[in-house]
């Protein structure tokens, strides 16, 4: 009896020891992955770590269930060594069972899965064709504009007058606003370019609207503003105490100043934009003798478009947007979405349209839609270009695209009743609802994600729902050619561009859903990281910038000793601080794997008649495995 009790005690102790270790393991995982004790990590990764903990917990529970099944099988006598008479299935039995399972899967796939995929694919193909027709019409419209040489024209003699009394009339009062937030890399070149604009100084006021929360950056911007002010430029620095509403709140606060009523037009430039000196002379005269004109929009040009593959692919999209979409809509509809910068507004149009609102993250599109509903017309100038930057890192680009695609859907929900009840024509209402919002902002990311990122990979496993070759190859390639036409130097990148657009549809679809259903991420605003690329306007002002430190004491002659000492400390820190190390562009392996997945699925569909389905299916499985391992590795890191 004693030995049995001793064995029982040892067994209980062993079980207790195993339970303690298991419980401690769960506790450690919970602390490390959920409560993040002892680990410094961004809050944005907390949700991913919860997902990882859930996967680990499911795996452990499954393992325990299998262990329990093994124990039951052992006591039932199913174990081979305790019951030698137990029937062991032979090879023929296993083959028959596998054959039955495979036949059942084929039947289920053909009767239930394939019809559902085919129905969804037909719906997406119809949307794909509609959107392709829209792109073709826009392209033909652009060709017609070039063939007929249609473009807004102004009388260049309107600004030339020998009558001194008419001087004030020829040059209207213009307000320039430069909204920025912690723009340490680009504030100098932006302020410098704007201060060199050729316009009578007494008819111009520049507002530097700084929302920075870093005091050192605030002092640097103040110094730059004071420097230009000493040179005779009408420029003021403005910083909000209550920083709400992001850029819309910043612009709204600036427009509430009493002196704004003395100005007729307002030009807006983001912190990385560098207008040419003749910008106002190429834009403001369009308002003369055109009281219905509310906005003049200029085109963007990019100083870093050839920096890497990512910037080249962005240049393709943006060139098509400005060269084709904006130009065609401006010529034939007198309406397009304001790009938020490099444009001149009639202040009366802003005020009558309700001013800047903080309800969405696309305040530029919001004010454009409301101004259009109030009867104001827009002009787009394709020949007037303003230099700026495109994101050079994938992370910055993805965050920018999320904001650009979630905001329009959020705005659509808010302004749909106003569009329906407005007094504009039925054609303009249909253009706003069906084309501007639904087709180009909702349908495009929906069908692109569903058709090319869901249905196309599924055809690898469900060949009964095969997509035709013209859907996965010929039409997309033709549309890619149309998109690249405005930037012909990008033709060698047509295949990466096609894959890049399809993989980016995952981010765009997620953003679209977030904005449509007003999820939390639709209100996120992340400042796009800039690098401060130099341009021609920077070279013009290089000599003046070198003398900035010499004039520093003269600029702050009236400042107190404490302010001067603090300013000198900041400038010394700026000089001593090491130059930022340029980080390598981070390309996410998940996107590359997805691009490879789509490429193999497309090639497999084109070559399926040659009997290579099995090899591409194997390729596909390996790709999925790599994606899964990459996701697990990213979670663990």
């Amino acid at each position: 009896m004693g030995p049995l009790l001793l064995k029982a005690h040892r067994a209980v102790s062993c079980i207790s020891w195993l339970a303690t270790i298991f419980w401690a393991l769960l506790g450690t995982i919970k602390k490390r992955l959920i409560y993040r004790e002892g680990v410094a990590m961004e809050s944005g990764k907390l949700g991913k770590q919860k997902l990882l903990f859930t996967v680990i917990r499911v795996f452990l529970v499954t393992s325990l269930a299998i262990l329990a099944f093994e124990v039951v099988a052992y006591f039932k006598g199913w174990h081979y060594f305790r019951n030698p008479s137990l029937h062991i299935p032979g090879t023929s039995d296993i083959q028959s069972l596998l054959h039955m399972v495979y036949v059942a899967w084929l039947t289920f796939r053909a009767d239930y899965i394939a019809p559902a995929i085919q129905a969804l694919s037909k719906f997406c193909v119809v949307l794909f064709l509609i959107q392709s027709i829209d792109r073709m019409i826009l392209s033909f419209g652009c060709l017609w504009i070039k063939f007929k040489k249609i473009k807004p024209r102004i009388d260049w003699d309107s600004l030339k007058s020998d009558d001194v009394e008419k001087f004030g009339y020829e040059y209207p009062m213009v307000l320039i606003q430069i909204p920025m937030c912690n723009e340490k890399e680009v504030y100098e070149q932006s302020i410098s370019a704007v201060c060199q604009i050729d316009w009578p100084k007494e008819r111009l006021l520049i507002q530097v609207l700084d929302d920075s929360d870093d005091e050192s950056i605030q002092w640097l911007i103040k110094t730059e503003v004071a420097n230009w002010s000493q040179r005779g430029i009408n420029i003021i620095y403005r910083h909000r105490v209550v920083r709400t509403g992001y850029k819309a709140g910043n612009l709204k606060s600036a427009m509430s100043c009493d002196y704004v009523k003395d100005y007729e037009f307002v030009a807006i430039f983001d912190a990385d934009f560098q207008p040419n000196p003749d910008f106002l002379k190429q834009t403001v005269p369009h308002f003369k003798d055109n009281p219905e004109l509310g906005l003049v929009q200029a085109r963007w040009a990019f100083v870093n478009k050839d920096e890497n593959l990512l910037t080249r692919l962005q240049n393709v999209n943006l060139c098509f947007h400005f060269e084709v979409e904006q130009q065609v809509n401006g010529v034939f509809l007198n309406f397009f979405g304001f790009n938020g910068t490099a444009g001149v507004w009639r202040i009366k149009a802003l005020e009558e349209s309700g001013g800047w609102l903080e309800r969405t993250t696309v305040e530029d599109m919001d004010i454009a839609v409301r101004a259009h509903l109030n009867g104001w017309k827009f002009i787009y100038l394709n020949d007037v270009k303003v230099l700026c930057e495109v994101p050079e890192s994938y992370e910055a680009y993805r965050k920018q695209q999320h904001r650009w695609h979630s905001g329009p859907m959020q705005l659509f929900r808010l302004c749909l009743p106003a569009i329906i009840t407005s007094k504009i024509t039925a054609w303009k209402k249909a253009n706003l609802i069906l084309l501007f919002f639904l087709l180009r902002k909702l349908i495009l990311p929906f069908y692109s994600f569903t058709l090319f990122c869901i249905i196309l990979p599924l055809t690898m496993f469900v060949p009964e729902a095969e997509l035709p070759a013209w859907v996965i190859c010929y039409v997309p390639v033709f549309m890619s050619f149309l998109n690249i036409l405005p930037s012909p130097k990008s033709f060698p990148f047509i295949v990466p561009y096609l894959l890049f657009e399809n993989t980016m549809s995952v981010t765009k679809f997620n953003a679209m859903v977030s904005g449509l259903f007003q999820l939390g991420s639709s209100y996120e605003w992340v400042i796009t990281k800039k690098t401060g690329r130099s341009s021609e306007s920077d070279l013009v002002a290089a000599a003046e910038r070198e003398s900035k430190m010499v004039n520093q004491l003269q600029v702050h002659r009236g400042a107190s000793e404490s302010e001067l000492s603090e300013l000198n400390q900041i400038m010394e820190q700026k000089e001593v601080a090491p130059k930022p190390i340029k980080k390598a562009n981070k390309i996410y392996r998940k996107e590359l794997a997805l691009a490879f997945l789509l490429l193999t699925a497309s090639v497999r569909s084109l070559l399926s008649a040659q009997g290579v389905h099995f090899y591409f299916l194997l390729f596909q499985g390996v790709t999925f495995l790599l994606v899964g391992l990459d996701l697990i590795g990213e979670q663990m890191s």
Side-chain angles (χ1 to χ4, degrees):
M1 190 67 181
L4 292 177
L5 291 176
L6 182 59
K7 290 182 179 180
H9 177 71
R10 290 177 178 176
V12 172
S13 300
C14 182
I15 295 175
S16 176
W17 180 73
L18 291 175
T20 302
I21 293 179
F22 177 72
W23 188 256
L25 177 63
L26 284 181
T28 303
I29 294 174
K30 190 173 183 180
K31 290 179 181 179
R32 300 286 290 182
L33 300 184
I34 293 185
Y35 297 118
R36 310 306 303 153
E37 293 184 6
V39 179
M41 183 169 289
E42 298 177 3
S43 60
K45 294 186 178 181
L46 188 58
K48 294 183 178 180
Q49 302 299 346
K50 288 183 178 180
L51 176 61
L52 176 61
F53 177 73
T54 303
V55 172
I56 295 175
R57 185 167 53 188
V58 170
F59 175 76
L60 292 177
V61 171
T62 304
S63 302
L64 290 176
I66 295 175
L67 179 61
F69 175 77
E70 292 289 342
V71 172
V72 172
Y74 180 83
F75 285 107
K76 288 289 186 180
W78 296 344
H79 196 270
Y80 175 71
F81 297 103
R82 291 292 301 273
N83 188 6
S85 62
L86 183 65
H87 174 67
I88 303 298
T91 304
S92 59
D93 297 331
I94 296 176
Q95 290 179 347
S96 301
L97 179 61
L98 293 177
H99 182 265
M100 291 176 57
V101 172
Y102 183 68
V103 171
W105 158 247
L106 291 180
T107 304
F108 179 78
R109 188 178 72 185
D111 294 342
Y112 299 99
I113 298 180
I117 296 178
Q118 287 176 339
L120 182 60
S121 63
K122 290 179 180 178
F123 177 69
C124 292
V125 167
V126 171
L127 298 180
F128 175 44
L129 293 178
I130 294 175
Q131 198 271 336
S132 300
I133 293 173
D134 175 62
R135 286 291 175 109
M136 290 180 60
I137 293 175
L138 289 174
S139 300
F140 286 133
C142 182
L143 293 176
W144 179 259
I145 290 173
K146 289 186 174 296
F147 176 73
K148 291 292 185 177
K149 297 181 179 180
I150 302 173
K151 65 178 182 179
R153 302 182 184 276
I154 58 176
D155 183 10
W156 289 104
D157 296 330
S158 62
L159 295 178
K160 299 177 181 180
S161 176
D162 297 331
D163 190 353
V164 180
E165 295 181 357
K166 293 181 62 181
F167 182 78
Y169 173 77
E170 298 295 347
Y171 288 92
M173 299 286 286
V174 178
L175 177 68
I176 297 182
Q177 296 177 335
I178 313 177
M180 58 178 63
C181 180
N182 296 326
E183 305 284 1
K184 184 177 181 179
E185 296 80 9
V186 294
Y187 76 93
E188 275 187 293
Q189 62 190 34
S190 177
I191 295 175
S192 174
V194 170
C195 289
Q196 296 179 59
I197 288 181
D198 185 12
W199 199 258
K201 296 179 181 179
E202 63 274 10
R203 316 295 297 177
L204 181 68
L205 175 64
I206 301 172
Q207 285 181 321
V208 178
L209 310 177
D210 182 25
D211 255 4
S212 303
D213 54 7
D214 189 330
E215 293 185 1
S216 63
I217 299 178
Q218 294 176 24
W219 270 106
L220 292 174
I221 298 175
K222 284 181 182 179
T223 303
E224 186 71 15
V225 170
N227 186 21
W228 285 102
S229 179
Q230 286 295 112
R231 301 180 191 183
I233 304 297
N234 292 328
I235 182 172
I236 59 175
Y237 175 86
R238 199 169 190 277
H239 183 270
R240 292 191 298 164
V241 178
V242 181
R243 298 170 57 252
T244 58
Y246 302 112
K247 180 180 176 181
N250 199 0
L251 295 173
K252 181 180 179 180
S253 175
M255 294 299 294
S256 64
C257 297
D258 293 336
Y259 54 79
V260 173
K261 65 178 182 296
D262 298 328
Y263 293 84
E264 188 176 356
F265 305 103
V266 55
I268 303 173
F269 299 101
D270 283 351
D272 60 316
F273 279 72
Q274 307 164 51
N276 291 326
D278 60 348
F279 176 82
L280 291 182
K281 289 187 175 181
Q282 290 184 317
T283 55
V284 174
H286 287 278
F287 290 96
K288 186 178 180 181
D289 301 327
N290 194 357
E292 296 181 351
L293 182 62
L295 168 67
V296 175
Q297 172 72 61
R299 179 175 177 171
W300 299 1
F302 311 105
V303 296
N304 61 337
K305 62 181 179 181
D306 296 323
E307 182 65 22
N308 53 44
L309 179 60
L310 178 63
T311 59
R312 290 187 177 96
L313 298 181
Q314 292 179 71
N315 182 61
V316 173
N317 272 339
L318 292 171
C319 282
F320 183 87
H321 171 70
F322 287 106
E323 183 87 14
V324 180
E325 290 181 346
Q326 297 289 77
Q327 187 171 206
V328 171
N329 291 330
V331 170
F332 295 104
L333 300 177
N334 292 122
F335 167 74
F336 47 82
F338 175 46
N339 295 118
T341 178
V344 181
W345 276 94
R346 190 189 296 271
I347 294 181
K348 182 180 178 181
L350 290 177
E351 294 174 346
E352 291 186 355
S353 303
W356 300 104
L357 299 181
E358 306 170 11
R359 57 182 182 174
T360 69
T361 57
V362 285
E363 75 294 328
D364 46 6
M365 185 181 296
D366 188 2
I367 187 62
V369 170
R370 287 185 281 118
H372 182 58
L373 296 180
N374 279 273
W376 292 98
K377 295 182 179 180
F378 302 164
I379 284 180
Y380 173 74
L381 304 179
N382 191 58
D383 296 333
V384 181
K385 299 180 180 180
V386 181
L387 292 176
C388 62
E389 291 185 17
V390 289
E392 295 184 7
S393 68
Y394 178 77
E395 182 68 19
Y397 175 69
R398 189 174 65 171
K399 291 178 180 179
Q400 180 196 70
Q401 291 300 304
H402 186 278
R403 177 167 58 86
W404 283 6
H405 286 81
S406 64
M409 287 295 95
Q410 188 181 9
L411 176 62
F412 178 64
R413 287 174 55 103
L414 296 173
C415 69
L416 181 60
I419 296 175
I420 297 175
T421 58
S422 64
K423 297 181 180 180
I424 60 176
T425 62
W427 157 246
K428 291 184 178 180
K429 292 181 181 180
N431 172 67
L432 272 177
I433 297 175
L434 299 179
L435 294 180
F436 186 75
F437 279 111
L438 292 183
L439 182 60
R440 296 166 187 168
K441 302 296 188 297
L442 188 147
I443 291 178
L444 176 58
F446 170 76
Y447 88 75
S448 181
F449 170 75
T450 307
L451 186 62
F452 295 107
C453 295
I454 300 296
I455 296 178
L456 180 58
L458 283 178
T459 58
M460 299 289 294
F461 304 99
V462 188
E464 293 87 354
E466 198 74 48
L467 291 173
W470 60 270
V471 172
I472 62 176
C473 181
Y474 304 130
V475 175
V477 170
F478 176 70
M479 298 311 301
S480 298
F481 271 110
L482 291 182
N483 289 348
I484 292 180
L485 280 178
S487 53
K489 294 183 180 180
S490 302
F491 271 105
F493 306 102
I494 185 170
V495 174
Y497 170 75
L498 183 58
L499 295 174
F500 175 74
E501 279 301 290
N502 287 329
T503 53
M504 278 306 299
S505 64
V506 178
T507 297
K508 296 176 181 179
F509 177 80
N510 177 46
M512 181 268 293
V513 173
S514 175
L516 187 63
F517 296 100
Q518 295 188 347
L519 304 180
S521 60
S522 63
Y523 296 91
E524 293 179 355
W525 182 299
V526 179
I527 302 297
T528 304
K529 186 67 176 177
K530 289 104 176 174
T531 57
R533 297 293 178 185
S534 60
S535 64
E536 294 180 1
S537 60
D538 296 324
L539 299 177
V540 173
E544 297 180 358
R545 290 183 181 179
E546 291 178 358
S547 63
K548 182 180 64 175
M549 296 301 299
V550 178
N551 298 331
Q552 200 62 248
L553 295 177
Q554 298 178 359
V555 172
H556 294 274
R557 186 177 301 167
S560 62
E561 294 182 359
S562 60
E563 290 176 341
L564 285 174
S565 60
E566 185 176 357
L567 177 62
N568 291 331
Q569 290 178 1
I570 293 175
M571 298 307 297
E572 290 176 1
Q573 291 176 2
K574 180 182 177 182
E575 292 180 353
V576 177
K579 294 182 179 180
I581 301 175
K582 182 181 178 182
K583 296 181 180 180
N585 188 22
K586 185 178 181 181
I587 299 297
Y588 279 24
R589 287 175 290 171
K590 295 189 297 297
E591 279 71 16
L592 292 177
L594 180 57
F596 180 71
L597 173 74
L598 300 179
L599 183 61
T600 56
S602 302
V603 176
R604 201 281 308 167
S605 298
L606 294 175
L607 301 179
S608 58
Q610 320 238 332
V612 294
H613 171 76
F614 169 76
Y615 300 102
F616 278 97
L617 183 62
L618 181 62
F619 231 3
Q620 189 81 0
V622 173
T623 304
F624 272 120
L625 178 62
L626 292 176
V627 174
L629 292 176
D630 179 68
L631 287 173
I632 295 175
E634 182 177 323
Q635 299 283 357
M636 295 302 294
S637 63

